[in-house]
Amino acid sequence: MPDLLDFVVEAHGGLAPWRNAASLSAKVRVYGEFWARKGHRELLGRQSITVDLSRQHTAITATKPPTS
């Protein structure tokens, strides 16, 4: 398994860029019934997600309100 991990990491630029990065952001579309059933319908729709790479912290921000 370490050989595969090394191969994948190197194929994507190595570890150096990740060691210099402070956070990772993505725009995603959340859909389905999971969050609605959990009582978090506000999480449905387009979201902006930012992950802090130096600690356990993820921020989710709605960028477009959910549609009914």
Side-chain angles (χ1 to χ4, degrees):
M1 188 67 164
D3 293 336
L4 176 58
L5 179 58
D6 291 339
F7 173 77
V8 171
V9 169
E10 288 305 313
H12 290 88
L15 287 177
W18 293 103
R19 288 191 175 123
N20 294 326
S23 64
L24 178 68
S25 296
K27 293 190 187 284
V28 298
R29 181 175 173 262
V30 179
Y31 59 94
E33 288 299 312
F34 179 79
W35 290 113
R37 286 183 185 219
K38 294 287 187 182
H40 295 285
R41 187 168 289 280
E42 74 277 5
L43 293 178
L44 299 176
R46 293 193 178 134
Q47 307 290 333
S48 175
I49 298 176
T50 302
V51 177
D52 187 328
L53 298 176
S54 63
R55 63 187 176 113
Q56 281 188 322
H57 180 79
T58 301
I60 302 172
T61 306
T63 57
K64 180 181 176 192
T67 57
S68 314

